[in-house]
Structures are given as structure tokens and as C-alpha cells.
Amino acid sequence: NPFERLLKNTQIGEENYRFYSLPDLKDDRYNKLPFSIRVLLEAAVRNCDNFQVKEKDVENILNWQENQNKDVEIPFKPARVILQDFTGVPAVVDFAAMRDAVKTLGGDPSVINPICPADLVIDHSVQVDVSGREDALKENHKLEMQRNKERFQFLKWGAKAFKNLTIVPPGTGIVHQVNLEYLARAVFNMDGLLYPDSLVGTDSHTTMINGLGVVGWGVGGIEAEAVMLGQAISMVLPKVVGYKLTGKMTGMATSTDAVLTITKHLRQIGVVGKFVEFYGPGVSQLSIADRATISNMCPEYGATVGYFPVDEQSIVYLRQTGRSEKKLQYVENYLRQMRMFRNYSNPDEDPVFSQVIELDLGDVVSCMSGPKRPHDRVSVSDMKADFQQCLDNKVGFKGFHIPAEKQCKEASFKFNDENYSIKHGSVVIAAITSCTNTSNPSVMLGAGLLAQNAVACGLKVAPYIKTSLSPGSGVVTYYLKESGVLDPLAKLGFDLVGYGCMTCIGNSGPLPESVASAIEQEDLVVCGVLSGNRNFEGRIHPLTRANYLASPPLVVAYALAGTVNIDFEKEPIGQSTEGKDIYLRDIWPSREQIHDVEKKHVLPAMFSEVYAKLQQGSPAWNALETPDSMLYPWDEKSTYIKSPPFFLRMSKEVPAMQSVENAAVLLNLGDSVTTDHISPAGSIARNSPAARYLAGRGLVPRDFNSYGSRRGNDAVMARGTFANIRLVNKFIGKAAPKTIHISSGEAMDIFDASERYLMNGRHLIVLAGKDYGSGSSRDWAAKGPWILGIKAVICESFERIHRSNLIGMGIIPLQFIEGQSTESLGLTGKESYSIKIPSDLKPGDLVDIMMDNGRSFKAKTRFDTDVELTYFKHGGILQYMI
């Protein structure tokens, strides 16, 4: 490491430590860097090897002020990785298959382990099948274990078989809340070497940890696996937007209201691909839980991170959550020495930002977001008028286009032998859910105290409303119980239903049959109200066309009201047992009351006690039998877990680079093809190749489950690649998951065409327009095309992360020369293509592409670095590691 001269020894308490001291660079540019960029710089200095991380990269980051507008690519090696079970299963499958490959090649398979620490939390599989009952928690966990037995057995094997991989069992909590309360290190201590905690995670809301001063964000599975294997990820040096907070929240405003306000604000400004760093005296008024709520919704406002540098509040939180005093001592001492410890009240510490935006927290009012997008904020005072407007508006993000004569429709139904009726605006789902809010004691206790006040007044929630409480960790239940508010929540139907993402990710379970029939009978726009972070149409439940994100107290309030079509300032929320009108303001707890209860009942001992049992698991988890073998004994009959074909033809020698010969075009696509178009997602359509595969193995449609649950089976996932019903293939001319098999002229499913080409030994390519692979990073958007036999993608431009994922799978990314496209070159896609790949290929070289009609053109190879080209030469990143 050329920066070994910066390695400094220091004594903290009775221990000696070492660290790379960035202030010893003696460079004035360092003191002006945003705090988030300082973390990227430290990682580059510490990991500089002049291969993955070069001295030039360190200089590029240090020169951030000049380089921020230049699209400069830099490497970043995070300290750790977190995964949830949907995205974690394929990663563990790949590691298991890599062990098989190493053994086949005559090596020692036990060397295949994550190199950097990886934590996998099982939180995406539990559903709200049972609610409003005391036994809901037990019953939902039982059903979760039954449905996911194969997947869980495999993950449990992985926990035993791999070093550096921790599996947190189901029923423990939500990955981001467990990360915040327990897994986060704040500062790593690796054998006496100190460095900032940082991470990537296979979930977009990984950013929640930014609230504790840890830099991290969500990535796709291939990048996560690369980091687990000790590789750097490539990123563009980002612009950093400084978001200045002043003042403090007043009245009924909560951290949820603050984040919904910030989300709308930043969406309007546009921060996609940028870091947002919060600063200003208002930050000191926010607890770490408040900050984590704001950071959690970073994907909804579009930034890469929503970062709060570490300050005194961070140390208070680490102490409150049971971290040791020795740890707190070296965390604070190290960060102060590194000039990474923030005093938000001292403007002299403010760094240089790309742009500055300001919000007075005193302007935040009680609000929700909806009915279809997280950034469509509505003040609670405007809610009634806004919902009415949505009924009138044309169909869109803020419209349902319900004719005036149909807006007063009611549907009557029976539930538990009682008569009820619902109409447009009726609430049918009310869920206190999601790490966004359940990690925050102030809003959770606020909901509990509001419930307590409501019960004392004799208010009730209509029993047909599907109410649920699904916190992100057992600590929440502990302090709700100790403070005496768990019981009143249960009396209003908010019984504990599970520890997992649940309603927030659409695992809301079925509505009562009579309610569902009533909604469909009159085609009603009914509502879900949830304390989650996403409310896109169809996500929460197929029958709730309007879904609103709200703070936990507001979830309880709207459940009590039974409708969103209410003005809380003018209309009562209900009547007391004496028949007196009760308004929301009558039962809303004061800020001081919530603070006092939190101070008394949220204690370090609770966190220590709950997390001491982290890996203990339930009796059902502990009863799962798993093999003790180092290699996984694949079950050929399994439709969930299957050994992938990525390493079948590997040899010890690095293969010569192969040209693409006589390739057929599998798909001829236009602009803005997203990873949602490419990657399998959602339910498995009954007429799809994946459905035929599963039916051929004896499964009936009700047991198909989703693509998400079958990410560990490449046969299912390959059949679901490009199977999006909204995919527009120029060969077909309309939206459909189909293509034309050029040789025969037949229209068929894309997987079936691929299979026919491969049987005839044909290479395949994809033609596309601009922004190919935009959207969330998804590993199967690259793995699926590889299995289909796609050797190259030729397009006008790539989304950055998807391009690197294609390289990670050994697929060639080719870009038309500026100004050229399929249209300008007159390409129909019915030609055969040969792509000459020279043995001395260098990053960015042009290559010749010949067609069978005698014409040719040149395209630019989008291997942008030597590292990317090295991965490709080996056949992909996993092959390179083997």
C-alpha cells in the first residue's frame, strides 16, 4: 500500500490501535470534503493496491470539488454486506456452487467463504395470514415455516457451512432495524485496525443505516457477491447535496411527517445518483431514530445515500442500544481524530456541497403520502379534499376517474354475523409496519398512547378492518409492553402479527371474503393506511387502489375513523361511551408525554436481552434438519434450490477470449428497457414457461409461489427472464413477453425461442436503444440473459450498474458509436451478427461487427476499466474468484 506512511498508532483507554490518518495527508482539500466523501476516501487509502484501487483513485476522490461534475469512476470497498432472504438465497446458492466448482477443479472447497463479513436476515417471507387475534404471531410464523421449509433449510446449512456469514433466523426482525440496533459497528475494529463502518445491502432501504453515520446503500446481488468476495464496486464520484435543517418540529408533527415532507421536496429538486448529506442546527433536534426514518426513505427521494455524520447523539444511541463503553470510547476517539465527528451547531465544520437546500423543521405539519406514490405528500388537514379530487381526476398517480354519479356508492356485507357497509375512501387495511417507523420509539409509543386514550374514551375500530402490528425487532414489543400500551393496541385490533416486512412489501395476506366481495361488487376505491415506505399501485393489496403512508399514530387514527374521507379538524373521529363527540386532538398524546414514557421505558438492557438471543431461533427453526457437509447435497427434485450452471464448463486455465459467431437476435428492443422488464418478478403467470416447468414437476398453480421465492432455482428464473407483460419487442410490435424465432418465423415465448436456438448451437445477442438496464439493480437481469445464451448486448447507452452486472456474468456490453442506432444503421434484427473480439482488447476499444448480408459497423466495448476486462476474460466475476 503506497499510503502505508499514513498508518498511525494511538492508545485509546488501555488498548493500542492503528488507523490510516487522513489528516496526515496535510491536504487542505480534505477539510472541505463532505463527511460522506471522507468515508469513500478512507476506504480508497486503506485498500490501495494499484490494481483494484489505484493512487489515481485516491487523488480523484481528494479532488472531489473539481471532479464531482466529470463522471469520474472510482472503486469502493465497503466493510461489510447485509442481505435479506429473497436476495440472499441466490447469493448463498452461488457460493455453494463455487465450492463444487473448486472441488471439481481439484482445489480445496473450504476456501470459498465470504471475505468480508456478511449478515443475512430472514424477514421477507412472513405474511399477515392471521390478524386481530392473540395467536396471530404464532400462527403466521407456523405458516411461514411451512411455506419456506426448503429455502430455510438451505440458508441454515449456509450459516453452518460458511465462515463470515451470519444468518438471522425468521421471527427476529427486519434487516434494517436489526442492522441499526445491533449489527452496525459505527467503527470497525479488525485486529486493532480501526476504520469507518460502511456497507452495501441487497435491499434498496439499506440506506436506513445512514442515520447512524454509516455510509451504505442498496445494490444488486452480483455487486453484493463481488464485495463478499473482497472485490471493489465501481461507482461514479457523486455530487453531494447539502440539506440544511433548522428549527424543530412542533405540534402533532412526527419524524414520519418530516421524511414525507423531505421526500416530496427532494423529488421536486432531483437528486437521483447523488449523495444527500444533512447538516445544520436542526439535526441536533432529531434523535438517531428520527434520522434513520429520514435515511430509510432515501430510495423514495431518489438519492444514493441520505447521510447524517456521527455526532454526540450517535454515541447516546449506541449506548442506549447496549453497545459496550469500550466500543463507544474508540468510536468517538477515532472519528474525532479523523475529523469525521460532527458538531451540527458549529457552521465552521460545514463542508463544501454541490448544492444547498434548506428546511425549517418548524414548517413540518402532520401529513401522509399517496394514494399511489411515496412522494405525493398530502397534509392531514387537506386529506378529505385531496381524496375527493383523486376520485374526480383522470386515471393517473393522483386520479381514479370515478364518475360523479358513482361516487356515493355503498356496498353492504356481513362480517361475524353483523351488518356493515363500505364506500369510496373506506379503510380496509391499517398496518403499523416497516422498519421505516417501527425502529422509532417516539412514533411507536405515540401510537400506543393514542390507542390507550382512545380505549379510555370507548372508541373502537370496525372489526372488518385488517389491523396489524409487525415491528422490526423484539425490542419494540418489550418497551410497548413495559409502558402499558401493548394491551390497548390489541384492544383496537393491532395485535402482534410477526417480526418482518409484512404489509410494507405486500405480504398483507387476504382480506375477509365478504369485504373483498363488497369491494369488487361496487368497484370501490378503498384504502390501505400503513407506516411503510412504498405505496405503488398493486403493491400493498390488489384490492386497495388507494394506499397512504403515514406515521403509526395516524395509522391508528384512520383505523378508528374507518375512512380517509374525513377532516380531523372539523369532524369527530368517533363517539365516547357516553355519546360525546371525540376529536383526534382530544386523544393525541403530547410530545412531552411521549418523551417521558420513552425515557422511562426504552432501556439499554432491553436491547442487550433481545439481541443476546439473536441466533437462537424459534423451536420450528431449530427443528429444521440440515446436512453438516461442507458441500451442499443438491436435491434434484427441489423446485426452490438448484445448483446453477454458471461453472459447468470451467477449466483451471483462463480461456482465450471468444468472438461471437453467426449470432441471432433474440430481442430487438427500444429505449428505457428497465431491469423490471428483464428480471423475473411478481407472481408466476399460469400460461408462462415457468408455470409449465413447475406443472411438469407436479405442482398445482396455488403452489407456484412467486419468482421472488424461487430465486434459488435458475430453471424457474431463466424461464421468467424477459417475461414481463409490458415488454415491447420490435419483432412483435406490441407489449408481450414474446419474440420471433428468426429461422422459422414463429412467434413464441422468449425462453422457448432461446432453447431452440441453443439446441442448434446458435449464439444470441440483444439489440436495444437508450438507457438499457435502468431501474433497480437486479442480479437476475444479468444472470437470466446468460442462461438464455445471450453473448452480447448492443445498445445506444447503458445504465451504469446493469452494465457492470452484465460484465460480471461474462456478457459483452457494446455501445453504438455516438449518433448511431438500430434505426440509423437500418438494422432489422433479422440479420446474423459476428463480433470480432481481439486477444489484445483494451478498455473502450472499438470492435467490428459483421452481418450475413455483407454489411458491417463498429461498436465501442463498454469495458471501462482493466478490472472489468479481467473479469470478462475469466468468464465473469465469480469465475475470476474461483
Side-chain angles (χ1 to χ4, degrees):
N1 187 323
F3 293 98
E4 210 70 25
R5 69 183 189 279
L6 299 178
L7 205 52
K8 182 176 177 179
N9 292 302
T10 186
Q11 186 171 344
I12 302 171
E14 295 177 7
E15 301 287 333
N16 291 311
Y17 299 96
R18 295 165 297 126
F19 65 94
Y20 285 89
S21 175
L22 299 192
D24 287 349
L25 284 165
K26 306 281 193 253
D27 194 313
D28 287 342
R29 293 175 297 177
Y30 177 68
N31 296 323
K32 295 174 184 172
L33 289 178
F35 282 63
S36 50
I37 300 297
R38 295 179 198 189
V39 176
L40 302 185
L41 178 64
E42 189 283 335
V45 164
R46 177 168 36 87
N47 292 297
C48 189
D49 59 1
N50 277 323
F51 173 59
Q52 284 196 61
V53 183
K54 299 181 177 178
E55 285 181 85
K56 184 186 171 191
D57 297 316
V58 172
E59 172 57 27
N60 282 339
I61 300 170
L62 195 53
N63 202 30
W64 170 83
Q65 214 171 327
E66 296 293 320
N67 287 335
Q68 59 173 307
N69 297 307
K70 295 180 181 175
D71 283 344
V72 173
E73 289 228 2
I74 59 160
F76 176 51
K77 291 186 84 169
R80 60 188 175 98
V81 175
I82 58 164
L83 312 103
Q84 37 91 336
D85 52 304
F86 266 22
T87 50
V89 166
V92 181
V93 165
D94 288 348
F95 271 81
M98 286 172 74
R99 279 197 171 173
D100 291 345
V102 169
K103 183 170 189 288
T104 302
L105 293 170
D108 175 7
S110 70
V111 300
I112 295 290
N113 290 290
I115 291 168
C116 80
D119 301 297
L120 190 158
V121 181
I122 300 174
D123 64 359
H124 267 53
S125 300
V126 63
Q127 295 185 32
V128 191
D129 290 290
V130 179
S131 62
R133 281 170 29 187
E134 203 176 324
D135 65 344
L137 175 68
K138 182 182 169 187
E139 289 302 307
N140 289 328
H141 180 61
K142 186 168 140 190
L143 287 164
E144 177 189 17
M145 295 301 296
Q146 286 170 5
R147 284 188 187 120
N148 297 282
K149 185 180 176 184
E150 266 188 76
R151 294 169 65 243
F152 289 175
Q153 280 179 315
F154 174 69
L155 289 174
K156 195 174 176 185
W157 167 82
K160 286 195 293 186
F162 293 106
K163 295 172 188 169
N164 253 349
L165 174 66
T166 302
I167 307 273
V168 178
T172 304
I174 302 173
V175 58
H176 309 305
Q177 188 162 340
V178 174
N179 191 20
L180 186 73
E181 294 176 351
Y182 179 74
L183 298 174
R185 279 74 159 177
V187 168
F188 257 83
N189 173 12
M190 192 64 73
D191 300 322
L193 180 68
L194 301 179
Y195 51 94
D197 188 4
S198 62
L199 73 155
V200 289
T202 56
D203 188 279
S204 53
H205 294 101
T206 297
T207 52
M208 184 168 180
I209 202 64
N210 300 162
L212 187 57
V214 177
V215 169
W217 59 87
V219 296
I222 291 172
E223 297 103 300
E225 288 178 44
V227 174
M228 287 165 77
L229 292 165
Q231 302 301 291
I233 54 174
S234 182
M235 62 183 288
V236 172
L237 190 63
K239 293 180 180 175
V240 183
V241 175
Y243 200 105
K244 186 175 185 179
L245 296 174
T246 59
K248 63 179 180 179
M249 287 185 286
T250 58
M252 290 165 67
T254 66
S255 58
T256 316
D257 304 315
V259 73
L260 296 180
T261 303
I262 289 167
T263 298
K264 182 177 183 180
H265 191 192
L266 286 173
R267 269 286 169 193
Q268 289 169 334
I269 285 155
V271 291
V272 173
K274 300 174 185 176
F275 281 14
V276 171
E277 186 166 309
F278 294 89
Y279 76 110
V283 177
S284 306
Q285 303 298 319
L286 300 173
S287 68
I288 295 303
D290 290 338
R291 298 175 197 180
T293 298
I294 292 166
S295 295
N296 178 287
M297 285 190 71
C298 184
E300 282 64 54
Y301 45 82
T304 304
V305 301
Y307 186 66
F308 290 85
V310 172
D311 71 338
E312 294 283 2
Q313 286 270 39
S314 314
I315 303 300
V316 169
Y317 180 82
L318 290 169
R319 182 172 286 117
Q320 183 190 37
T321 48
R323 271 74 165 202
S324 72
E325 286 302 318
K326 179 181 171 184
K327 182 173 185 64
L328 301 185
Q329 198 176 22
Y330 72 69
V331 166
E332 182 170 351
N333 195 301
Y334 165 75
L335 292 174
R336 284 189 185 280
Q337 288 195 57
M338 288 286 280
R339 295 177 198 159
M340 291 182 177
F341 196 89
R342 193 78 167 89
N343 177 357
Y344 287 101
S345 301
N346 181 4
D348 293 341
E349 288 186 10
D350 293 349
V352 172
F353 291 113
S354 312
Q355 177 186 1
V356 168
I357 307 159
E358 193 165 333
L359 174 71
D360 183 344
L361 291 169
D363 294 338
V364 173
V365 297
S366 198
C367 61
M368 315 226 286
S369 275
K372 301 180 187 181
R373 294 190 301 186
H375 53 279
D376 288 331
R377 176 191 162 278
V378 191
S379 297
V380 168
S381 56
D382 297 332
M383 188 64 207
K384 185 173 185 176
D386 190 83
F387 183 74
Q388 181 59 53
Q389 192 68 55
C390 288
L391 291 181
D392 295 335
N393 290 346
K394 287 180 180 174
V395 173
F397 293 122
K398 291 287 286 184
F400 299 102
H401 200 50
I402 305 296
E405 67 275 12
K406 292 186 177 177
Q407 288 186 13
C408 294
K409 273 191 169 184
E410 282 195 43
S412 299
F413 61 96
K414 270 198 173 215
F415 181 78
N416 290 349
D417 296 327
E418 296 282 334
N419 292 316
Y420 296 96
S421 66
I422 52 174
K423 47 187 154 184
H424 295 297
S426 289
V427 172
V428 295
I429 290 176
I432 299 174
T433 182
S434 171
C435 53
T436 309
N437 284 291
T438 69
S439 60
N440 193 330
S442 65
V443 292
M444 294 302 287
L445 289 166
L449 291 167
L450 188 142
Q452 192 175 62
N453 296 339
V455 169
C457 291
L459 299 181
K460 291 179 180 173
V461 172
Y464 63 81
I465 297 176
K466 188 161 191 180
T467 45
S468 59
L469 168 64
S470 53
S473 87
V475 175
V476 180
T477 317
Y478 205 147
Y479 66 66
L480 289 178
K481 188 175 181 181
E482 288 296 308
S483 57
V485 296
L486 196 59
D487 187 49
L489 279 166
K491 281 185 174 146
L492 295 183
F494 289 94
D495 291 271
L496 189 63
V497 296
Y499 296 101
C501 301
M502 302 189 92
T503 302
C504 184
I505 58 164
N507 288 359
S508 52
L511 289 173
E513 247 176 76
S514 58
V515 177
S517 299
I519 296 165
E520 290 175 312
Q521 173 194 316
E522 297 296 346
D523 193 26
L524 296 176
V525 179
V526 295
C527 305
V529 182
L530 65 150
S531 62
N533 48 39
R534 284 189 175 163
N535 56 341
F536 302 124
E537 202 168 8
R539 178 184 173 96
I540 305 307
H541 192 283
L543 294 177
T544 56
R545 285 156 70 185
N547 295 283
Y548 290 92
L549 306 180
S551 66
L554 280 177
V555 171
V556 177
Y558 279 101
L560 287 163
T563 180
V564 298
N565 206 2
I566 182 173
D567 183 339
F568 281 133
E569 291 179 15
K570 297 175 184 170
E571 299 173 60
I573 197 169
Q575 278 75 40
S576 70
T577 38
E578 292 83 32
K580 180 190 165 193
D581 281 349
I582 304 291
Y583 290 83
L584 180 58
R585 58 181 170 269
D586 299 329
I587 58 173
W588 193 276
S590 71
R591 194 175 293 277
E592 293 71 32
Q593 186 187 4
I594 294 168
H595 177 73
D596 290 346
V597 173
E598 181 177 352
K599 200 171 175 185
K600 187 176 177 184
H601 294 290
V602 182
L603 306 169
M606 293 179 176
F607 292 87
S608 302
E609 189 177 324
V610 166
Y611 284 110
K613 304 170 189 167
L614 182 75
Q615 287 176 270
Q616 194 170 304
S618 66
W621 170 264
N622 293 326
L624 285 178
E625 291 183 5
T626 56
D628 289 322
S629 54
M630 182 175 50
L631 301 176
Y632 187 69
W634 307 97
D635 178 359
E636 289 186 15
K637 297 192 289 292
S638 173
T639 55
Y640 279 100
I641 305 295
K642 179 177 172 292
S643 179
F646 307 139
F647 316 116
L648 288 181
R649 288 174 290 280
M650 267 196 80
S651 64
K652 276 187 181 180
E653 294 71 38
V654 178
M657 284 204 288
Q658 299 289 313
S659 293
V660 178
E661 303 287 350
N662 191 34
V665 176
L666 183 62
L667 292 150
N668 187 3
L669 305 169
D671 295 340
S672 300
V673 171
T674 71
T675 50
D676 284 337
H677 290 114
I678 308 168
S679 182
S683 57
I684 296 170
R686 294 187 181 198
N687 60 349
S688 65
R692 292 195 292 275
Y693 169 83
L694 292 170
R697 275 147 189 78
L699 274 72
V700 294
R702 71 167 178 274
D703 295 328
F704 286 174
N705 215 324
S706 64
Y707 283 113
S709 68
R710 295 189 182 274
R711 285 183 186 178
N713 185 316
D714 63 89
V716 173
M717 298 303 279
R719 285 164 172 78
T721 300
F722 292 111
N724 190 308
I725 57 170
R726 292 182 180 82
L727 181 76
V728 178
N729 181 3
K730 292 177 189 176
F731 288 155
I732 300 295
K734 61 179 183 180
K738 303 278 183 184
T739 196
I740 300 290
H741 179 255
I742 306 296
S743 311
S744 65
E746 286 180 63
M748 58 179 68
D749 287 316
I750 291 158
F751 177 82
D752 296 343
S754 151
E755 200 168 41
R756 194 179 291 189
Y757 281 125
L758 293 177
M759 281 171 67
N760 293 322
R762 291 290 298 274
H763 287 173
L764 296 172
I765 64 167
V766 170
L767 297 177
K770 298 181 184 74
D771 300 324
Y772 182 78
S774 54
S776 300
S777 175
R778 301 184 191 281
D779 54 338
W780 277 106
K783 288 177 175 176
W786 185 90
I787 295 173
L788 294 181
I790 292 166
K791 301 293 182 185
V793 175
I794 312 173
C795 65
E796 292 176 62
S797 63
F798 287 95
E799 193 279 334
R800 184 180 57 81
I801 292 176
H802 183 63
R803 178 192 63 80
S804 93
N805 282 351
L806 291 174
I807 295 166
M809 287 307 300
I811 295 172
I812 307 167
L814 294 167
Q815 196 162 308
F816 290 114
I817 290 169
E818 187 73 35
Q820 293 187 348
S821 64
T822 50
E823 288 79 11
S824 74
L825 292 168
L827 309 179
T828 66
K830 295 185 178 177
E831 309 86 354
S832 292
Y833 293 75
S834 293
I835 304 164
K836 177 91 174 120
I837 303 294
S839 58
D840 60 349
L841 184 73
K842 294 186 292 299
D845 276 358
L846 297 180
V847 294
D848 292 310
I849 301 175
M850 283 77 66
M851 292 177 282
D852 60 346
N853 58 12
R855 294 176 57 215
S856 67
F857 62 96
K858 288 184 184 292
K860 181 182 181 181
T861 56
R862 285 300 312 278
F863 302 112
D864 294 352
T865 64
D866 289 328
V867 175
E868 288 182 345
L869 196 51
T870 301
Y871 291 158
F872 174 73
K873 285 175 179 174
H874 283 77
I877 187 167
L878 302 182
Q879 288 84 345
Y880 167 77
M881 292 307 297
I882 289 172

